Amino acid sequence: MHRTPDGRPIPPGSADERTMLEAWLDFHRATLALKCSGLEEGQLRLAAASPSTMTLLGLVQHMAEVERNWFQRVFAGRKVSPVFGESNADGFALHPERGLDEAMAAWEAEVAQGRELIADASLDDFGHLSEQEAGHAGDEGVSLRWIMVHMIEEYARHNGHADLIREQIDGVTGA
């Protein structure tokens, strides 16, 4: 596997659909981790720009919740509570005693759990959405293929936010 100079896995230029989806998802996961690396706890808690309260630490927590939602709840049909508690269902809210190490460990555990749940699944296998989610997706069921494409989109969007937050913190830019 080839890697970027900063260590992220480079998705192959040509591969079967499953390999390509997994590779792009892993690339975006690695990008989020990279955006948070080398910063002090206080920097990880700096908001993007007023009026937004979005932070790098909050993005890591949010993506832990997103991983749990799409792979455990939707795809596997598990009834699991939010990663960081019912009062923080989207993961964005920060807790004064939870730092990056704890948030990253939770996120990495959710990534590992998601990988395990889909390892032997077909891209055509279906997960089931809640009524509210179905209203956004247009259907009550979504394939693993749909979930993986959505996850890539979710990471790509939030990695754009992470780019801007990181640049504001210390001037570091780039993919």
Side-chain angles (χ1 to χ4, degrees), residues 11 13-16 27 30 34 38 51 63 79 83-85 87 104-106 119-121 126 135 137 153 162 171-172:
S14 178
D16 63 272
F27 175 81
L34 176 67
M63 292 312 297
K79 304 252 186 266
V83 179
F84 299 104
S87 64
M104 288 293 281
D120 296 324
F126 267 75
E153 176 272 329
V172 171

Side-chain angles (χ1 to χ4, degrees), residues 19-75:
T19 300
M20 193 68 73
L21 290 170
E22 288 176 349
W24 276 105
L25 186 51
D26 285 342
F27 175 81
H28 282 292
R29 287 168 171 154
T31 298
L32 180 60
L34 176 67
K35 291 298 167 183
C36 297
S37 68
L39 295 175
E40 297 174 5
E41 288 293 322
Q43 292 173 307
L44 293 160
R45 294 173 179 276
L46 291 175
S50 184
S52 176
T53 58
M54 188 179 297
T55 66
L56 289 171
L57 181 57
L59 283 171
V60 171
Q61 294 178 167
H62 174 66
M63 292 312 297
E65 185 56 47
V66 169
E67 291 271 355
R68 178 172 282 192
N69 183 60
W70 288 103
F71 293 117
Q72 289 197 57
R73 290 188 193 108
V74 173
F75 187 70

Side-chain angles (χ1 to χ4, degrees), residues 94-159:
L94 303 182
H95 187 279
E97 295 174 14
R98 185 184 313 112
L100 183 63
D101 290 345
E102 184 180 343
M104 288 293 281
W107 173 66
E108 289 167 354
E110 292 304 322
V111 168
Q113 183 65 51
R115 283 186 178 126
E116 184 178 315
L117 289 169
I118 68 170
D120 296 324
S122 164
L123 291 175
D124 294 321
D125 289 347
F126 267 75
H128 300 282
L129 298 170
S130 69
E131 189 175 314
Q132 179 184 8
E133 289 169 326
H136 297 292
D139 200 347
E140 289 182 14
V142 290
S143 68
L144 177 57
R145 176 182 292 102
W146 189 99
I147 292 168
M148 292 182 75
V149 169
H150 174 69
M151 289 295 293
I152 292 165
E153 176 272 329
E154 182 87 9
Y155 272 100
R157 178 168 30 120
H158 287 312
N159 283 338

